[in-house]
Amino acid sequence: MSALRPVPVPDAGSAPYWEAAARHTLALARCGRCTAFTLPPDVTCPHCRATDPDFSYEPVSGRGTVRSWTVVRQSSLPGLADEVPFVLVDVELEEQAGLRMVGRLLDGPNTPLRVGDRVQVAFEDVEPGVSVPAFALGEVTS
């Protein structure tokens, strides 16, 4: 029997992110002072340096381009050992230049991949009520 996958443990600052993810929505923190998105948010805004950024979480498209990737062939995390190999992609989201997010590519480790490939956020349901953002090649049209 395989170990259970690790699950996020939200705190006050990240709870809105994980609540949105559970609904299969990617919502990112936006600074109330300069309006820049930040991932992950901190006590100050890395863009305007506001010490009272008054972050609010807003849904984003989840579309972006691959900047880099790596194939994970060994995992020391419980619950992921049965999942190797898998691909982690570094994605620049289209909402803001330099807004980057790392996630698992759901297309599999043997999928041809190039810098600049388009991806769309997808979600892995790791247990009831808990979903983790990941990516899939291509764009989802609504």
Short mmCIF file of all heavy atoms in Angstrom, two decimals, residues 19-66:
data_model
loop_
_atom_site.label_atom_id
_atom_site.label_comp_id
_atom_site.label_asym_id
_atom_site.label_seq_id
_atom_site.Cartn_x
_atom_site.Cartn_y
_atom_site.Cartn_z
N GLU A 19 -8.48 27.50 -0.59
CA GLU A 19 -9.93 27.40 -0.73
C GLU A 19 -10.34 27.53 -2.19
O GLU A 19 -11.21 26.80 -2.67
CB GLU A 19 -10.61 28.49 0.11
CG GLU A 19 -10.51 28.23 1.61
CD GLU A 19 -10.84 29.45 2.46
OE1 GLU A 19 -11.23 30.51 1.92
OE2 GLU A 19 -10.70 29.33 3.70
N ALA A 20 -9.70 28.44 -2.92
CA ALA A 20 -9.98 28.59 -4.35
C ALA A 20 -9.54 27.34 -5.11
O ALA A 20 -10.26 26.85 -5.98
CB ALA A 20 -9.27 29.83 -4.90
N ALA A 21 -8.36 26.81 -4.77
CA ALA A 21 -7.87 25.60 -5.44
C ALA A 21 -8.84 24.43 -5.25
O ALA A 21 -9.06 23.65 -6.18
CB ALA A 21 -6.48 25.23 -4.93
N ALA A 22 -9.44 24.33 -4.08
CA ALA A 22 -10.42 23.25 -3.83
C ALA A 22 -11.61 23.37 -4.78
O ALA A 22 -12.24 22.37 -5.10
CB ALA A 22 -10.88 23.28 -2.38
N ARG A 23 -11.87 24.59 -5.26
CA ARG A 23 -12.96 24.82 -6.23
C ARG A 23 -12.43 24.78 -7.67
O ARG A 23 -13.14 25.18 -8.60
CB ARG A 23 -13.63 26.17 -5.96
CG ARG A 23 -14.30 26.28 -4.62
CD ARG A 23 -15.08 27.60 -4.47
NE ARG A 23 -14.31 28.80 -4.79
CZ ARG A 23 -13.54 29.47 -3.93
NH1 ARG A 23 -13.43 29.04 -2.68
NH2 ARG A 23 -12.91 30.56 -4.32
N HIS A 24 -11.16 24.37 -7.84
CA HIS A 24 -10.50 24.33 -9.15
C HIS A 24 -10.41 25.71 -9.78
O HIS A 24 -10.59 25.88 -10.99
CB HIS A 24 -11.18 23.33 -10.09
CG HIS A 24 -10.94 21.92 -9.68
ND1 HIS A 24 -11.18 20.86 -10.52
CD2 HIS A 24 -10.48 21.37 -8.53
CE1 HIS A 24 -10.89 19.73 -9.89
NE2 HIS A 24 -10.46 20.02 -8.68
N THR A 25 -10.08 26.68 -8.95
CA THR A 25 -9.84 28.05 -9.39
C THR A 25 -8.47 28.47 -8.90
O THR A 25 -8.13 28.26 -7.73
CB THR A 25 -10.90 29.01 -8.79
OG1 THR A 25 -12.18 28.61 -9.27
CG2 THR A 25 -10.63 30.45 -9.17
N LEU A 26 -7.68 29.07 -9.79
CA LEU A 26 -6.39 29.61 -9.39
C LEU A 26 -6.60 31.07 -9.00
O LEU A 26 -7.00 31.89 -9.83
CB LEU A 26 -5.36 29.49 -10.51
CG LEU A 26 -3.95 29.97 -10.17
CD1 LEU A 26 -3.36 29.16 -9.02
CD2 LEU A 26 -3.06 29.88 -11.41
N ALA A 27 -6.40 31.39 -7.73
CA ALA A 27 -6.56 32.75 -7.22
C ALA A 27 -5.24 33.16 -6.58
O ALA A 27 -4.71 32.45 -5.74
CB ALA A 27 -7.70 32.81 -6.21
N LEU A 28 -4.72 34.30 -7.01
CA LEU A 28 -3.42 34.77 -6.52
C LEU A 28 -3.58 36.06 -5.73
O LEU A 28 -4.53 36.82 -5.92
CB LEU A 28 -2.47 35.00 -7.69
CG LEU A 28 -2.20 33.79 -8.57
CD1 LEU A 28 -1.21 34.16 -9.67
CD2 LEU A 28 -1.70 32.61 -7.76
N ALA A 29 -2.61 36.30 -4.85
CA ALA A 29 -2.62 37.50 -4.01
C ALA A 29 -2.24 38.71 -4.85
O ALA A 29 -1.26 38.69 -5.59
CB ALA A 29 -1.64 37.33 -2.86
N ARG A 30 -3.06 39.75 -4.73
CA ARG A 30 -2.79 41.02 -5.42
C ARG A 30 -2.61 42.09 -4.36
O ARG A 30 -3.42 42.22 -3.43
CB ARG A 30 -3.95 41.40 -6.33
CG ARG A 30 -3.66 42.66 -7.15
CD ARG A 30 -4.86 43.12 -7.95
NE ARG A 30 -5.18 42.34 -9.11
CZ ARG A 30 -4.74 42.58 -10.33
NH1 ARG A 30 -3.90 43.57 -10.56
NH2 ARG A 30 -5.12 41.82 -11.33
N CYS A 31 -1.54 42.86 -4.48
CA CYS A 31 -1.24 43.93 -3.54
C CYS A 31 -2.29 45.04 -3.66
O CYS A 31 -2.60 45.49 -4.77
CB CYS A 31 0.15 44.50 -3.82
SG CYS A 31 0.61 45.89 -2.75
N GLY A 32 -2.82 45.44 -2.52
CA GLY A 32 -3.81 46.51 -2.50
C GLY A 32 -3.20 47.89 -2.72
O GLY A 32 -3.92 48.86 -2.93
N ARG A 33 -1.88 47.97 -2.70
CA ARG A 33 -1.20 49.27 -2.90
C ARG A 33 -0.78 49.47 -4.36
O ARG A 33 -1.09 50.48 -4.95
CB ARG A 33 0.02 49.37 -1.99
CG ARG A 33 -0.24 49.12 -0.52
CD ARG A 33 -1.16 50.18 0.10
NE ARG A 33 -1.47 49.82 1.48
CZ ARG A 33 -2.69 49.55 1.91
NH1 ARG A 33 -3.71 49.58 1.10
NH2 ARG A 33 -2.91 49.25 3.17
N CYS A 34 -0.07 48.49 -4.94
CA CYS A 34 0.45 48.66 -6.31
C CYS A 34 -0.29 47.80 -7.33
O CYS A 34 -0.04 47.91 -8.52
CB CYS A 34 1.94 48.35 -6.36
SG CYS A 34 2.38 46.60 -6.16
N THR A 35 -1.16 46.92 -6.90
CA THR A 35 -1.99 46.01 -7.69
C THR A 35 -1.22 44.87 -8.37
O THR A 35 -1.79 44.15 -9.18
CB THR A 35 -2.86 46.74 -8.74
OG1 THR A 35 -2.05 47.23 -9.79
CG2 THR A 35 -3.69 47.85 -8.11
N ALA A 36 0.04 44.68 -8.03
CA ALA A 36 0.82 43.58 -8.62
C ALA A 36 0.45 42.26 -7.95
O ALA A 36 0.18 42.22 -6.75
CB ALA A 36 2.31 43.84 -8.48
N PHE A 37 0.46 41.20 -8.73
CA PHE A 37 0.27 39.86 -8.17
C PHE A 37 1.57 39.39 -7.54
O PHE A 37 2.66 39.72 -8.02
CB PHE A 37 -0.12 38.86 -9.26
CG PHE A 37 -1.55 39.00 -9.71
CD1 PHE A 37 -1.84 39.50 -10.96
CD2 PHE A 37 -2.59 38.61 -8.89
CE1 PHE A 37 -3.15 39.61 -11.39
CE2 PHE A 37 -3.91 38.72 -9.30
CZ PHE A 37 -4.19 39.22 -10.56
N THR A 38 1.45 38.59 -6.50
CA THR A 38 2.60 38.06 -5.79
C THR A 38 2.35 36.60 -5.46
O THR A 38 1.27 36.25 -4.99
CB THR A 38 2.84 38.85 -4.49
OG1 THR A 38 3.08 40.21 -4.82
CG2 THR A 38 4.01 38.31 -3.72
N LEU A 39 3.34 35.78 -5.71
CA LEU A 39 3.22 34.36 -5.41
C LEU A 39 4.56 33.83 -4.91
O LEU A 39 5.53 33.88 -5.64
CB LEU A 39 2.82 33.59 -6.68
CG LEU A 39 2.61 32.09 -6.51
CD1 LEU A 39 1.40 31.83 -5.64
CD2 LEU A 39 2.42 31.43 -7.86
N PRO A 40 4.62 33.38 -3.68
CA PRO A 40 3.59 33.46 -2.64
C PRO A 40 3.63 34.84 -2.00
O PRO A 40 4.65 35.53 -2.03
CB PRO A 40 4.02 32.38 -1.65
CG PRO A 40 5.50 32.35 -1.75
CD PRO A 40 5.81 32.66 -3.20
N PRO A 41 2.54 35.26 -1.36
CA PRO A 41 2.56 36.55 -0.67
C PRO A 41 3.40 36.47 0.60
O PRO A 41 3.58 35.39 1.16
CB PRO A 41 1.09 36.80 -0.34
CG PRO A 41 0.50 35.43 -0.27
CD PRO A 41 1.26 34.59 -1.26
N ASP A 42 3.92 37.60 1.00
CA ASP A 42 4.73 37.69 2.22
C ASP A 42 4.19 38.86 3.04
O ASP A 42 3.16 39.44 2.70
CB ASP A 42 6.20 37.90 1.84
CG ASP A 42 7.16 37.44 2.91
OD1 ASP A 42 6.73 37.21 4.06
OD2 ASP A 42 8.36 37.32 2.62
N VAL A 43 4.88 39.24 4.08
CA VAL A 43 4.42 40.33 4.92
C VAL A 43 4.60 41.68 4.24
O VAL A 43 3.98 42.66 4.63
CB VAL A 43 5.09 40.33 6.31
CG1 VAL A 43 4.67 39.10 7.09
CG2 VAL A 43 6.59 40.42 6.19
N THR A 44 5.48 41.74 3.24
CA THR A 44 5.64 42.95 2.44
C THR A 44 5.43 42.60 0.97
O THR A 44 5.58 41.45 0.57
CB THR A 44 7.05 43.57 2.60
OG1 THR A 44 8.01 42.63 2.12
CG2 THR A 44 7.34 43.93 4.04
N CYS A 45 5.09 43.59 0.18
CA CYS A 45 4.95 43.38 -1.26
C CYS A 45 6.34 43.46 -1.89
O CYS A 45 7.05 44.45 -1.69
CB CYS A 45 4.05 44.45 -1.87
SG CYS A 45 3.98 44.35 -3.68
N PRO A 46 6.75 42.45 -2.64
CA PRO A 46 8.08 42.49 -3.25
C PRO A 46 8.18 43.49 -4.40
O PRO A 46 9.28 43.81 -4.83
CB PRO A 46 8.28 41.06 -3.76
CG PRO A 46 6.90 40.56 -4.00
CD PRO A 46 6.04 41.21 -2.95
N HIS A 47 7.06 44.01 -4.86
CA HIS A 47 7.08 44.95 -5.99
C HIS A 47 7.19 46.40 -5.52
O HIS A 47 8.06 47.13 -5.97
CB HIS A 47 5.83 44.75 -6.85
CG HIS A 47 5.69 43.35 -7.35
ND1 HIS A 47 6.45 42.84 -8.38
CD2 HIS A 47 4.91 42.33 -6.91
CE1 HIS A 47 6.13 41.56 -8.57
NE2 HIS A 47 5.21 41.23 -7.69
N CYS A 48 6.30 46.80 -4.59
CA CYS A 48 6.31 48.20 -4.13
C CYS A 48 6.91 48.36 -2.74
O CYS A 48 7.06 49.46 -2.25
CB CYS A 48 4.90 48.78 -4.17
SG CYS A 48 3.76 48.08 -2.96
N ARG A 49 7.23 47.23 -2.10
CA ARG A 49 7.83 47.19 -0.77
C ARG A 49 6.89 47.67 0.34
O ARG A 49 7.32 48.00 1.44
CB ARG A 49 9.13 47.99 -0.71
CG ARG A 49 10.16 47.61 -1.77
CD ARG A 49 10.84 46.33 -1.40
NE ARG A 49 11.94 46.07 -2.32
CZ ARG A 49 12.01 45.02 -3.12
NH1 ARG A 49 11.05 44.15 -3.12
NH2 ARG A 49 13.03 44.84 -3.91
N ALA A 50 5.60 47.74 0.05
CA ALA A 50 4.64 48.15 1.06
C ALA A 50 4.67 47.16 2.22
O ALA A 50 4.65 45.95 2.02
CB ALA A 50 3.23 48.22 0.47
N THR A 51 4.72 47.69 3.42
CA THR A 51 4.70 46.83 4.61
C THR A 51 3.28 46.53 5.06
O THR A 51 3.07 45.76 5.99
CB THR A 51 5.49 47.48 5.76
OG1 THR A 51 4.91 48.76 6.05
CG2 THR A 51 6.96 47.62 5.41
N ASP A 52 2.31 47.15 4.40
CA ASP A 52 0.89 46.88 4.65
C ASP A 52 0.20 46.64 3.30
O ASP A 52 -0.63 47.42 2.86
CB ASP A 52 0.24 48.04 5.39
CG ASP A 52 0.36 49.36 4.65
OD1 ASP A 52 1.19 49.47 3.71
OD2 ASP A 52 -0.41 50.28 4.97
N PRO A 53 0.56 45.55 2.61
CA PRO A 53 0.10 45.35 1.23
C PRO A 53 -1.39 45.06 1.08
O PRO A 53 -1.91 45.15 -0.03
CB PRO A 53 0.93 44.17 0.74
CG PRO A 53 1.34 43.45 1.97
CD PRO A 53 1.45 44.48 3.05
N ASP A 54 -2.08 44.72 2.17
CA ASP A 54 -3.52 44.47 2.10
C ASP A 54 -3.85 43.56 0.91
O ASP A 54 -4.66 43.90 0.04
CB ASP A 54 -4.28 45.79 2.01
CG ASP A 54 -5.77 45.61 2.22
OD1 ASP A 54 -6.17 44.64 2.90
OD2 ASP A 54 -6.55 46.42 1.66
N PHE A 55 -3.20 42.39 0.88
CA PHE A 55 -3.40 41.45 -0.22
C PHE A 55 -4.85 40.97 -0.29
O PHE A 55 -5.48 40.71 0.74
CB PHE A 55 -2.50 40.22 -0.06
CG PHE A 55 -1.05 40.47 -0.32
CD1 PHE A 55 -0.11 40.27 0.69
CD2 PHE A 55 -0.60 40.90 -1.55
CE1 PHE A 55 1.24 40.48 0.46
CE2 PHE A 55 0.75 41.12 -1.80
CZ PHE A 55 1.68 40.91 -0.79
N SER A 56 -5.36 40.86 -1.49
CA SER A 56 -6.64 40.21 -1.73
C SER A 56 -6.40 39.14 -2.78
O SER A 56 -5.52 39.28 -3.63
CB SER A 56 -7.69 41.22 -2.21
OG SER A 56 -7.30 41.78 -3.45
N TYR A 57 -7.16 38.07 -2.72
CA TYR A 57 -7.00 36.98 -3.68
C TYR A 57 -7.98 37.15 -4.82
O TYR A 57 -9.17 37.35 -4.59
CB TYR A 57 -7.18 35.63 -2.99
CG TYR A 57 -5.94 35.22 -2.23
CD1 TYR A 57 -5.66 35.76 -0.99
CD2 TYR A 57 -5.03 34.33 -2.79
CE1 TYR A 57 -4.51 35.41 -0.30
CE2 TYR A 57 -3.88 33.98 -2.11
CZ TYR A 57 -3.62 34.52 -0.87
OH TYR A 57 -2.48 34.18 -0.20
N GLU A 58 -7.45 37.09 -6.06
CA GLU A 58 -8.27 37.26 -7.25
C GLU A 58 -8.04 36.10 -8.21
O GLU A 58 -6.90 35.67 -8.40
CB GLU A 58 -7.92 38.57 -7.94
CG GLU A 58 -8.21 39.79 -7.10
CD GLU A 58 -7.92 41.09 -7.82
OE1 GLU A 58 -7.79 41.08 -9.07
OE2 GLU A 58 -7.81 42.12 -7.14
N PRO A 59 -9.11 35.62 -8.82
CA PRO A 59 -8.95 34.56 -9.81
C PRO A 59 -8.13 35.04 -11.01
O PRO A 59 -8.24 36.20 -11.42
CB PRO A 59 -10.38 34.23 -10.24
CG PRO A 59 -11.25 34.77 -9.16
CD PRO A 59 -10.50 35.95 -8.59
N VAL A 60 -7.29 34.16 -11.53
CA VAL A 60 -6.51 34.43 -12.74
C VAL A 60 -6.77 33.30 -13.73
O VAL A 60 -7.32 32.25 -13.37
CB VAL A 60 -5.00 34.57 -12.43
CG1 VAL A 60 -4.74 35.78 -11.54
CG2 VAL A 60 -4.44 33.32 -11.81
N SER A 61 -6.35 33.50 -14.95
CA SER A 61 -6.65 32.54 -16.02
C SER A 61 -5.93 31.20 -15.86
O SER A 61 -6.44 30.17 -16.29
CB SER A 61 -6.28 33.13 -17.38
OG SER A 61 -4.86 33.21 -17.51
N GLY A 62 -4.74 31.23 -15.27
CA GLY A 62 -3.95 30.01 -15.17
C GLY A 62 -3.23 29.65 -16.45
O GLY A 62 -2.61 28.61 -16.55
N ARG A 63 -3.30 30.53 -17.46
CA ARG A 63 -2.58 30.28 -18.72
C ARG A 63 -1.18 30.87 -18.61
O ARG A 63 -0.97 31.91 -17.99
CB ARG A 63 -3.32 30.92 -19.89
CG ARG A 63 -4.64 30.24 -20.20
CD ARG A 63 -5.27 30.80 -21.47
NE ARG A 63 -5.56 32.23 -21.35
CZ ARG A 63 -6.71 32.73 -20.92
NH1 ARG A 63 -7.68 31.94 -20.54
NH2 ARG A 63 -6.88 34.03 -20.87
N GLY A 64 -0.23 30.17 -19.23
CA GLY A 64 1.13 30.67 -19.20
C GLY A 64 2.03 29.92 -20.16
O GLY A 64 1.57 29.10 -20.95
N THR A 65 3.32 30.23 -20.07
CA THR A 65 4.31 29.60 -20.93
C THR A 65 5.38 28.94 -20.07
O THR A 65 5.74 29.44 -19.00
CB THR A 65 4.98 30.62 -21.87
OG1 THR A 65 5.54 31.67 -21.10
CG2 THR A 65 3.99 31.20 -22.86
N VAL A 66 5.88 27.83 -20.59
CA VAL A 66 6.93 27.08 -19.89
C VAL A 66 8.24 27.85 -20.02
O VAL A 66 8.66 28.20 -21.11
CB VAL A 66 7.08 25.66 -20.50
CG1 VAL A 66 8.28 24.94 -19.89
CG2 VAL A 66 5.79 24.86 -20.28
#
